[in-house]
mmCIF file of all heavy atoms in Angstrom:
data_model
loop_
_atom_site.group_PDB
_atom_site.id
_atom_site.type_symbol
_atom_site.label_atom_id
_atom_site.label_comp_id
_atom_site.label_asym_id
_atom_site.label_seq_id
_atom_site.Cartn_x
_atom_site.Cartn_y
_atom_site.Cartn_z
ATOM 1 N N GLU A 846 -22.642 -21.313 -23.617
ATOM 2 C CA GLU A 846 -23.567 -20.231 -23.173
ATOM 3 C C GLU A 846 -23.354 -19.925 -21.711
ATOM 4 O O GLU A 846 -23.443 -18.760 -21.314
ATOM 5 C CB GLU A 846 -24.994 -20.601 -23.544
ATOM 6 C CG GLU A 846 -25.348 -20.715 -24.956
ATOM 7 C CD GLU A 846 -25.113 -19.419 -25.723
ATOM 8 O OE1 GLU A 846 -25.713 -18.362 -25.306
ATOM 9 O OE2 GLU A 846 -24.330 -19.471 -26.683
ATOM 10 N N ALA A 847 -23.134 -20.952 -20.881
ATOM 11 C CA ALA A 847 -22.968 -20.815 -19.491
ATOM 12 C C ALA A 847 -21.698 -20.004 -19.180
ATOM 13 O O ALA A 847 -21.712 -19.168 -18.262
ATOM 14 C CB ALA A 847 -22.941 -22.166 -18.797
ATOM 15 N N ALA A 848 -20.665 -20.239 -19.949
ATOM 16 C CA ALA A 848 -19.418 -19.595 -19.766
ATOM 17 C C ALA A 848 -19.647 -18.059 -19.943
ATOM 18 O O ALA A 848 -19.117 -17.203 -19.148
ATOM 19 C CB ALA A 848 -18.364 -20.037 -20.670
ATOM 20 N N LYS A 849 -20.396 -17.701 -20.985
ATOM 21 C CA LYS A 849 -20.813 -16.265 -21.167
ATOM 22 C C LYS A 849 -21.540 -15.736 -19.953
ATOM 23 O O LYS A 849 -21.313 -14.572 -19.509
ATOM 24 C CB LYS A 849 -21.598 -16.111 -22.424
ATOM 25 C CG LYS A 849 -20.944 -16.359 -23.729
ATOM 26 C CD LYS A 849 -21.910 -16.291 -24.876
ATOM 27 C CE LYS A 849 -21.479 -17.074 -26.130
ATOM 28 N NZ LYS A 849 -22.538 -17.273 -27.124
ATOM 29 N N MET A 850 -22.387 -16.588 -19.442
ATOM 30 C CA MET A 850 -23.235 -16.098 -18.303
ATOM 31 C C MET A 850 -22.411 -15.847 -17.064
ATOM 32 O O MET A 850 -22.721 -14.940 -16.242
ATOM 33 C CB MET A 850 -24.334 -17.112 -17.987
ATOM 34 C CG MET A 850 -25.620 -16.546 -17.426
ATOM 35 S SD MET A 850 -26.832 -17.738 -17.015
ATOM 36 C CE MET A 850 -27.948 -17.713 -18.254
ATOM 37 N N VAL A 851 -21.336 -16.583 -16.797
ATOM 38 C CA VAL A 851 -20.561 -16.360 -15.585
ATOM 39 C C VAL A 851 -19.343 -15.557 -15.962
ATOM 40 O O VAL A 851 -18.415 -15.371 -15.191
ATOM 41 C CB VAL A 851 -20.048 -17.738 -14.931
ATOM 42 C CG1 VAL A 851 -21.309 -18.514 -14.419
ATOM 43 C CG2 VAL A 851 -19.246 -18.556 -15.888
ATOM 44 N N ASN A 852 -19.312 -15.081 -17.255
ATOM 45 C CA ASN A 852 -18.251 -14.155 -17.669
ATOM 46 C C ASN A 852 -16.857 -14.714 -17.560
ATOM 47 O O ASN A 852 -15.918 -14.130 -17.022
ATOM 48 C CB ASN A 852 -18.375 -12.821 -16.811
ATOM 49 C CG ASN A 852 -17.867 -11.625 -17.630
ATOM 50 O OD1 ASN A 852 -17.658 -11.761 -18.820
ATOM 51 N ND2 ASN A 852 -17.542 -10.558 -16.918
ATOM 52 N N LYS A 853 -16.654 -15.922 -18.162
ATOM 53 C CA LYS A 853 -15.383 -16.602 -18.142
ATOM 54 C C LYS A 853 -15.202 -17.239 -19.484
ATOM 55 O O LYS A 853 -16.084 -17.626 -20.135
ATOM 56 C CB LYS A 853 -15.406 -17.695 -17.107
ATOM 57 C CG LYS A 853 -14.898 -17.369 -15.714
ATOM 58 C CD LYS A 853 -14.924 -18.648 -14.913
ATOM 59 C CE LYS A 853 -13.703 -18.774 -14.019
ATOM 60 N NZ LYS A 853 -13.749 -19.919 -13.029
ATOM 61 N N PRO A 854 -13.901 -17.298 -19.937
ATOM 62 C CA PRO A 854 -13.634 -18.102 -21.194
ATOM 63 C C PRO A 854 -13.996 -19.524 -20.938
ATOM 64 O O PRO A 854 -13.688 -20.030 -19.806
ATOM 65 C CB PRO A 854 -12.169 -17.953 -21.382
ATOM 66 C CG PRO A 854 -11.625 -16.960 -20.431
ATOM 67 C CD PRO A 854 -12.680 -16.786 -19.361
ATOM 68 N N VAL A 855 -14.651 -20.201 -21.854
ATOM 69 C CA VAL A 855 -15.117 -21.600 -21.608
ATOM 70 C C VAL A 855 -13.895 -22.498 -21.340
ATOM 71 O O VAL A 855 -13.967 -23.493 -20.548
ATOM 72 C CB VAL A 855 -15.969 -22.156 -22.784
ATOM 73 C CG1 VAL A 855 -15.132 -22.415 -24.013
ATOM 74 C CG2 VAL A 855 -16.746 -23.341 -22.443
ATOM 75 N N GLU A 856 -12.694 -22.118 -21.829
ATOM 76 C CA GLU A 856 -11.500 -22.938 -21.666
ATOM 77 C C GLU A 856 -11.030 -22.910 -20.243
ATOM 78 O O GLU A 856 -10.173 -23.693 -19.861
ATOM 79 C CB GLU A 856 -10.326 -22.426 -22.590
ATOM 80 C CG GLU A 856 -10.609 -22.580 -24.062
ATOM 81 C CD GLU A 856 -11.517 -21.466 -24.615
ATOM 82 O OE1 GLU A 856 -11.650 -20.425 -23.964
ATOM 83 O OE2 GLU A 856 -12.089 -21.750 -25.649
ATOM 84 N N GLU A 857 -11.613 -21.967 -19.415
ATOM 85 C CA GLU A 857 -11.203 -21.865 -18.023
ATOM 86 C C GLU A 857 -12.377 -22.153 -16.992
ATOM 87 O O GLU A 857 -12.290 -21.870 -15.861
ATOM 88 C CB GLU A 857 -10.670 -20.473 -17.706
ATOM 89 C CG GLU A 857 -9.357 -20.108 -18.507
ATOM 90 C CD GLU A 857 -9.048 -18.641 -18.437
ATOM 91 O OE1 GLU A 857 -9.523 -17.927 -17.545
ATOM 92 O OE2 GLU A 857 -8.240 -18.215 -19.292
ATOM 93 N N ALA A 858 -13.504 -22.661 -17.690
ATOM 94 C CA ALA A 858 -14.758 -22.837 -16.851
ATOM 95 C C ALA A 858 -15.085 -24.285 -16.694
ATOM 96 O O ALA A 858 -14.691 -25.201 -17.510
ATOM 97 C CB ALA A 858 -15.870 -22.068 -17.584
ATOM 98 N N SER A 859 -15.656 -24.615 -15.516
ATOM 99 C CA SER A 859 -16.101 -25.987 -15.253
ATOM 100 C C SER A 859 -17.580 -26.027 -14.864
ATOM 101 O O SER A 859 -18.021 -25.274 -14.085
ATOM 102 C CB SER A 859 -15.232 -26.568 -14.059
ATOM 103 O OG SER A 859 -13.916 -26.696 -14.524
ATOM 104 N N PHE A 860 -18.260 -26.912 -15.489
ATOM 105 C CA PHE A 860 -19.727 -27.005 -15.243
ATOM 106 C C PHE A 860 -20.152 -28.477 -15.087
ATOM 107 O O PHE A 860 -19.512 -29.353 -15.517
ATOM 108 C CB PHE A 860 -20.470 -26.448 -16.423
ATOM 109 C CG PHE A 860 -20.207 -24.985 -16.709
ATOM 110 C CD1 PHE A 860 -19.364 -24.617 -17.808
ATOM 111 C CD2 PHE A 860 -20.712 -23.982 -15.893
ATOM 112 C CE1 PHE A 860 -19.061 -23.311 -18.010
ATOM 113 C CE2 PHE A 860 -20.481 -22.689 -16.152
ATOM 114 C CZ PHE A 860 -19.642 -22.293 -17.241
ATOM 115 N N ILE A 861 -21.320 -28.651 -14.459
ATOM 116 C CA ILE A 861 -22.043 -29.929 -14.497
ATOM 117 C C ILE A 861 -23.340 -29.642 -15.306
ATOM 118 O O ILE A 861 -24.105 -28.853 -14.851
ATOM 119 C CB ILE A 861 -22.279 -30.510 -13.124
ATOM 120 C CG1 ILE A 861 -20.920 -30.916 -12.502
ATOM 121 C CG2 ILE A 861 -23.111 -31.718 -13.204
ATOM 122 C CD1 ILE A 861 -21.015 -31.256 -10.961
ATOM 123 N N SER A 862 -23.420 -30.183 -16.487
ATOM 124 C CA SER A 862 -24.516 -30.001 -17.331
ATOM 125 C C SER A 862 -25.530 -31.101 -17.149
ATOM 126 O O SER A 862 -25.224 -32.283 -17.256
ATOM 127 C CB SER A 862 -24.022 -29.891 -18.804
ATOM 128 O OG SER A 862 -25.098 -29.866 -19.686
ATOM 129 N N VAL A 863 -26.807 -30.716 -16.966
ATOM 130 C CA VAL A 863 -27.886 -31.678 -16.668
ATOM 131 C C VAL A 863 -28.996 -31.548 -17.783
ATOM 132 O O VAL A 863 -29.736 -30.636 -17.781
ATOM 133 C CB VAL A 863 -28.528 -31.394 -15.293
ATOM 134 C CG1 VAL A 863 -29.504 -32.428 -14.963
ATOM 135 C CG2 VAL A 863 -27.407 -31.404 -14.193
ATOM 136 N N HIS A 864 -28.907 -32.454 -18.676
ATOM 137 C CA HIS A 864 -29.865 -32.464 -19.847
ATOM 138 C C HIS A 864 -30.989 -33.455 -19.510
ATOM 139 O O HIS A 864 -30.795 -34.641 -19.411
ATOM 140 C CB HIS A 864 -29.181 -32.915 -21.164
ATOM 141 C CG HIS A 864 -30.177 -32.929 -22.312
ATOM 142 N ND1 HIS A 864 -30.076 -32.013 -23.380
ATOM 143 C CD2 HIS A 864 -31.112 -33.751 -22.652
ATOM 144 C CE1 HIS A 864 -30.982 -32.261 -24.257
ATOM 145 N NE2 HIS A 864 -31.720 -33.334 -23.867
ATOM 146 N N LEU A 865 -32.241 -32.842 -19.215
ATOM 147 C CA LEU A 865 -33.350 -33.665 -18.789
ATOM 148 C C LEU A 865 -34.462 -33.525 -19.817
ATOM 149 O O LEU A 865 -35.064 -32.455 -20.047
ATOM 150 C CB LEU A 865 -33.893 -33.189 -17.455
ATOM 151 C CG LEU A 865 -32.878 -33.138 -16.317
ATOM 152 C CD1 LEU A 865 -33.536 -32.592 -15.042
ATOM 153 C CD2 LEU A 865 -32.223 -34.543 -16.051
ATOM 154 N N GLY A 866 -34.719 -34.615 -20.518
ATOM 155 C CA GLY A 866 -35.830 -34.734 -21.446
ATOM 156 C C GLY A 866 -36.370 -36.150 -21.373
ATOM 157 O O GLY A 866 -36.177 -36.810 -20.418
ATOM 158 N N ASN A 867 -36.955 -36.604 -22.527
ATOM 159 C CA ASN A 867 -37.354 -38.037 -22.558
ATOM 160 C C ASN A 867 -36.168 -38.963 -22.388
ATOM 161 O O ASN A 867 -36.250 -40.007 -21.726
ATOM 162 C CB ASN A 867 -38.118 -38.312 -23.839
ATOM 163 C CG ASN A 867 -38.909 -39.656 -23.751
ATOM 164 O OD1 ASN A 867 -39.511 -39.930 -22.727
ATOM 165 N ND2 ASN A 867 -38.838 -40.372 -24.787
ATOM 166 N N GLY A 868 -34.998 -38.479 -22.864
ATOM 167 C CA GLY A 868 -33.763 -39.050 -22.605
ATOM 168 C C GLY A 868 -33.034 -38.084 -21.659
ATOM 169 O O GLY A 868 -33.262 -36.833 -21.748
ATOM 170 N N ALA A 869 -32.146 -38.502 -20.779
ATOM 171 C CA ALA A 869 -31.608 -37.578 -19.820
ATOM 172 C C ALA A 869 -30.183 -38.042 -19.516
ATOM 173 O O ALA A 869 -29.878 -39.226 -19.428
ATOM 174 C CB ALA A 869 -32.414 -37.600 -18.506
ATOM 175 N N SER A 870 -29.260 -36.964 -19.347
ATOM 176 C CA SER A 870 -27.884 -37.292 -19.001
ATOM 177 C C SER A 870 -27.217 -36.145 -18.340
ATOM 178 O O SER A 870 -27.643 -34.966 -18.462
ATOM 179 C CB SER A 870 -27.052 -37.745 -20.299
ATOM 180 O OG SER A 870 -26.717 -36.701 -21.033
ATOM 181 N N VAL A 871 -26.192 -36.397 -17.550
ATOM 182 C CA VAL A 871 -25.345 -35.460 -16.879
ATOM 183 C C VAL A 871 -23.969 -35.549 -17.423
ATOM 184 O O VAL A 871 -23.496 -36.568 -17.843
ATOM 185 C CB VAL A 871 -25.312 -35.782 -15.357
ATOM 186 C CG1 VAL A 871 -24.554 -34.691 -14.555
ATOM 187 C CG2 VAL A 871 -26.712 -35.882 -14.762
ATOM 188 N N CYS A 872 -23.374 -34.333 -17.575
ATOM 189 C CA CYS A 872 -22.011 -34.291 -18.129
ATOM 190 C C CYS A 872 -21.102 -33.346 -17.242
ATOM 191 O O CYS A 872 -21.521 -32.298 -16.990
ATOM 192 C CB CYS A 872 -22.043 -33.772 -19.607
ATOM 193 S SG CYS A 872 -20.451 -33.584 -20.357
ATOM 194 N N ALA A 873 -19.978 -33.883 -16.948
ATOM 195 C CA ALA A 873 -18.911 -33.050 -16.187
ATOM 196 C C ALA A 873 -18.060 -32.429 -17.255
ATOM 197 O O ALA A 873 -17.466 -33.107 -18.113
ATOM 198 C CB ALA A 873 -18.114 -33.872 -15.235
ATOM 199 N N ILE A 874 -17.974 -31.056 -17.244
ATOM 200 C CA ILE A 874 -17.239 -30.345 -18.202
ATOM 201 C C ILE A 874 -16.108 -29.492 -17.552
ATOM 202 O O ILE A 874 -16.359 -28.668 -16.709
ATOM 203 C CB ILE A 874 -18.149 -29.372 -19.001
ATOM 204 C CG1 ILE A 874 -19.207 -30.234 -19.775
ATOM 205 C CG2 ILE A 874 -17.390 -28.469 -19.917
ATOM 206 C CD1 ILE A 874 -20.396 -29.472 -20.215
ATOM 207 N N LYS A 875 -14.871 -29.775 -17.942
ATOM 208 C CA LYS A 875 -13.716 -29.163 -17.255
ATOM 209 C C LYS A 875 -12.923 -28.459 -18.368
ATOM 210 O O LYS A 875 -12.584 -29.040 -19.387
ATOM 211 C CB LYS A 875 -12.843 -30.248 -16.614
ATOM 212 C CG LYS A 875 -11.675 -29.711 -15.820
ATOM 213 C CD LYS A 875 -10.961 -30.955 -15.230
ATOM 214 C CE LYS A 875 -9.797 -30.471 -14.330
ATOM 215 N NZ LYS A 875 -9.106 -31.665 -13.780
#
């Protein structure tokens, strides 16, 4: 969804995803 938001194919996009809930984790996506 983020790739759509920045108007890039996901295969060419890099993000740091921060999932915060009762469980929480960060993921580096290249």
